Amino acid sequence: QFKETYSFPSIISVSSDVTFNAKLKYNSKNTHPNIEVKGADENYLLISGYEIEKGRWLTSTDLHKNSNYTIIGKDVEALLFPKERALGKKIWWGSYQFIIIGVLKNKGSSFGFGGDKVMFVSLKDARLINPSQNPRFNLQIKCANTHLLDKAIDAARYTFRNIRKLSTSDEDNFSIEKSDMVANLVIDDLKKVTIGATFIAIITLTGAVIGLLNIMLVNVKERTREIGTRKALGASSKNIQHQFLLEAIIIGLLGGAIGIVLGIIIGNLVAMGLGTGFFIPWFWISASLITCFLVGIASGYYPSKKAADVDPIESLRYE
């Protein structure tokens, strides 16, 4: 009824989640019981983000008759038809038989859900398979003009309230979600992760400063005789301080450089695995090098000052 009465310029699709743990069968081959089965109409493909790789999608004619047609995801094809053509084959889900008319392009997984472990059937077939007294349906609306999104939402709410025969004092007994709601939730979660990562980074940097400070203090202690020899040959306290401070900075920058190289390699490997592009974050590379430089100064200042203050006479007879 909503699909027929909603007059705002848009594409409307109706879908229904039947199950998330179907086990499909073809001859002697079976999938794991983790296949999602969805009922969909002829417009679902235009809104969902899926694309057909082989065959075709459901038509309005398919929706009005018991065609038993299905479209499967790439993972289902790989499991049931590793070496043969899937189109036209008959697969079983329990006691229900379906004819494959299409195979979807690879979509990948997100948030733990496999977008390719899926099977689509017509809405009519979905109702027959899942004859629930209160079936749940999703209405997806793709607005023709994104600038009119808020007006489209208001029109959808008004239309659906009329369908549900709600009075002005009644609250909505349905929910409306904008396409960017999930993105906003993820962004909020990423902010929390970023805050947590920042605290972890501060603790890690503090440990790095303390560790490098101890290393430099031991270095000064072990090279006391060398410091005395250099001073006896004319090196000033400032020369000694600069030497040890420069060593601490070089150690910090070397650690940063190794981290950057490993980050780029791992980032490229992850990007290749996800099939996405990878860019080099020059800002964060620069920030990390500056941070490592500051860590070197913070760790090396006290040991270098201690080395500069060593008495040359005491140093020469050390050990």
Side-chain angles (χ1 to χ4, degrees), residues 200-227:
I200 293 172
I202 291 171
I203 294 169
T204 305
L205 283 173
T206 303
V209 170
I210 294 171
L212 186 53
L213 176 65
N214 287 330
I215 290 170
M216 293 304 299
L217 286 172
V218 171
N219 191 25
V220 170
K221 190 75 173 175
E222 290 178 345
R223 294 165 65 184
T224 302
R225 190 173 180 82
E226 175 193 327
I227 296 169

Side-chain angles (χ1 to χ4, degrees), residues 221-225 313-319:
K221 190 75 173 175
E222 290 178 345
R223 294 165 65 184
T224 302
R225 190 173 180 82
I313 303 301
E314 293 295 329
S315 300
L316 283 172
R317 64 186 182 189
Y318 183 73
E319 298 177 345

